[in-house]
């Protein structure tokens, strides 16, 4: 297997020759990969804080429910769309939350075919602990890069999200869809 390859870029420009080491460096330092890895590390840390708070049953997939539960209730279809997963997948996750006593289902008064997912008292407590877990995970980031670095990072990420969603017709409508 050769240790370099030539590939013409998408614009038809000059061929690019990369060694395997250069390719691995690019793979490990590209922004998309860094966003994903840091996001997963952040989520893992927040779930660790939830475990410490007495919620060891919450896993990465459950984050979809936690991120989309609303105090006044929400439809499965809306939760699924916001999370970027199928209605069937969200229904399974919510059913698990119902079995754990965190949510209850109610008929939707505006649509007889739909049901509203509402947090129970246990679910509201879970959400409160979830907010605290997120704050603690953010505090950890701040301890790593400082308060100014944290606010700069937040500002830059918000700017990227705003510009990417307004500049591209191909951009997903909700960038939270990949976070688990």
């Amino acid at each position: 297997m050769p240790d370099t390859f030539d590939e013409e870029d998408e614009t038809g420009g000059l061929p690019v020759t990369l060694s395997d080491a250069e390719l691995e460096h690019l793979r490990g330092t590209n922004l998309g990969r860094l966003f994903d890895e840091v996001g997963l590390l952040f989520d893992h840390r927040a779930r660790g804080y939830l475990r410490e708070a007495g919620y060891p049953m919450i896993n990465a997939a459950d984050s979809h429910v936690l991120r989309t539960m609303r105090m006044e209730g929400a439809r499965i279809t809306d939760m699924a769309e916001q999370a970027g997963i199928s209605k069937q997948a969200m229904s399974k996750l919510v059913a698990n939350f119902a079995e754990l006593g965190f949510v209850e289902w109610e008929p939707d008064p505006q649509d007889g075919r739909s049901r509203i997912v509402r947090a129970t008292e246990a679910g509201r407590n879970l959400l409160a602990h979830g907010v605290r877990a997120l704050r603690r995970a953010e505090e950890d980031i701040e301890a790593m890069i400082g308060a100014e670095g944290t606010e700069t990072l937040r500002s830059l990420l918000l700017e990227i999200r705003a510009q990417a969603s307004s500049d591209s017709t191909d951009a997903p409508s909700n960038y939270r869809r990949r976070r688990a």
Side-chain angles (χ1 to χ4, degrees), residues 11 26 39 72 78 82 102 106 110 133 140 152 160 169 176:
T11 62
L26 289 172
E72 66 274 8
D78 296 335
Q82 187 179 7
F102 297 132
E106 297 177 4
Q110 297 176 357
D140 292 345
T152 299
I160 290 167
T169 58
R176 288 176 279 181

Side-chain angles (χ1 to χ4, degrees), residues 110-158:
Q110 297 176 357
D111 182 355
R113 299 168 296 158
S114 296
R115 293 189 289 175
I116 301 290
V117 177
R118 292 200 195 283
T120 61
E121 183 176 344
R124 288 188 295 276
N125 287 335
L126 170 60
L127 285 172
H129 281 100
V131 168
R132 179 62 186 136
L134 290 175
R135 287 182 180 152
R136 287 182 67 190
E138 285 189 3
E139 289 167 2
D140 292 345
I141 298 294
E142 188 171 317
M144 292 176 206
I145 64 174
E148 186 176 328
T150 302
E151 285 311 307
T152 299
L153 177 60
R154 184 185 323 275
S155 176
L156 291 170
L157 292 172
L158 287 168

Side-chain angles (χ1 to χ4, degrees), residues 30-93:
N30 78 75
L31 290 176
R33 175 115 178 230
L34 292 171
F35 286 147
D36 283 348
E37 288 178 3
V38 171
L40 290 171
L41 289 168
F42 182 89
D43 285 350
H44 181 74
R45 188 173 292 252
R47 278 193 315 279
Y49 290 133
L50 271 177
R51 280 190 297 280
E52 287 177 12
Y55 298 96
M57 72 293 288
I58 302 300
N59 62 40
D62 292 331
S63 297
H64 292 303
V65 179
L66 287 172
R67 286 192 173 100
T68 58
M69 284 174 64
R70 300 183 54 84
M71 292 298 190
E72 66 274 8
R75 291 182 187 91
I76 290 285
T77 53
D78 296 335
M79 293 171 71
E81 183 178 326
Q82 187 179 7
I85 63 174
S86 71
K87 291 184 290 186
Q88 294 81 5
M90 182 59 79
S91 292
K92 287 181 182 180
L93 292 171

